[in-house]
Amino acid sequence: MLGIGQLYAVAVVLGVARVVHSSASISYLPVLVEADLLQHANARLGAASSVADSAGSNVGAALVGAVSAARSVLADVLSYLVSAFLVWRIRTREPAPEPAPAPAEGRGGLARDIGEGLRYVAGQPTIRTVITALSTLGFGLAIMNTYWAYYLLTSLRMSPSAFGVMVGVGGAGSLAGALLAPRIASRIGIGPTIIIGFAVSPLGHIPLLLAGPSLAWQIALAAALAAQLFWATASGTSQRSLRQTLCEPRFQGRMQAASTTLTAGARPVAAAVAGALVLLLGVRGTLAVGAILQVVPVVLLLLSPLRALREMTSPLARNAEPPVPPVRPTRPIREGAS
């Protein structure tokens, strides 16, 4: 009884809420845990997200088959309410923000905050490079994701069951990457971990562009997806921890908002570009363009100091003055002397 317009409206509202929630939750994490635990905390969050994605896809499919698609949305609504309740129960308070300067005449506080956040990100070479690489990678992935499932189910004639199994294998790879991310970063360094994750993404799409409709290719695609998501999750938790560590506390929210806005904001543009490309190049050609675009962020990272970065250092620790060693008195100190 409802029109497609209402579905689009709900999707827009939900998308905006998801972007706000994502920016706030990632910015809030450094308040909840110590700096040296950020990598492990992000790894556990990534592992939980991987499990939720895999389990949610299977449960959602079963629920749709049992009670219909429309009624299944009620379960989705309930899950958001449970999530909101759990977040509400977190009692850790954020430190009081520094007093902001009075806004200039004719310029609102929100516009000023956005401008300050963008200027801060632009002035931080490592954070700026990582966010630029993320947004470029997200644009290429969004082009591919527009037709990825369609290509597998139609051109490669993959059955829905096989598609579900492949997604499940990919989820297992993502879970392993999240759990092993801290160990990998400590072994080869935080910078190389991030770069490898970005590099595996375009390489992981090569089997997709060469595949044909056969069981052997389906197995190869599942293995490639697992490897891709393994390194994507390991890299994602590492770069998120790096940005949280390097960013000054008062700019955490604005830095993450800039990252989320650039990454998520590119998706609708990428979808429109994919629709135009498919008229010129076909589905396989459009997928190839998306894969090639993912090489750009790899080049950006390789040309940055990130390739030599092995450990994360907090800006507060880096800028702090070294402690002054205690001086032993050479004469008795009078009582009450300061």
Side-chain angles (χ1 to χ4, degrees), residues 18 48 56 64 76 89-90 92-93 107 122 182 214 228 269 275-276 337:
R18 184 180 291 114
V64 169
D76 197 27
R89 291 186 69 247
I90 299 176
T92 303
R93 293 184 176 273
R107 191 181 183 193
S214 68
Q228 181 185 358
V269 179

Side-chain angles (χ1 to χ4, degrees), residues 313-321:
T313 304
S314 169
L316 299 180
R318 185 174 63 248
N319 296 331
E321 296 182 359

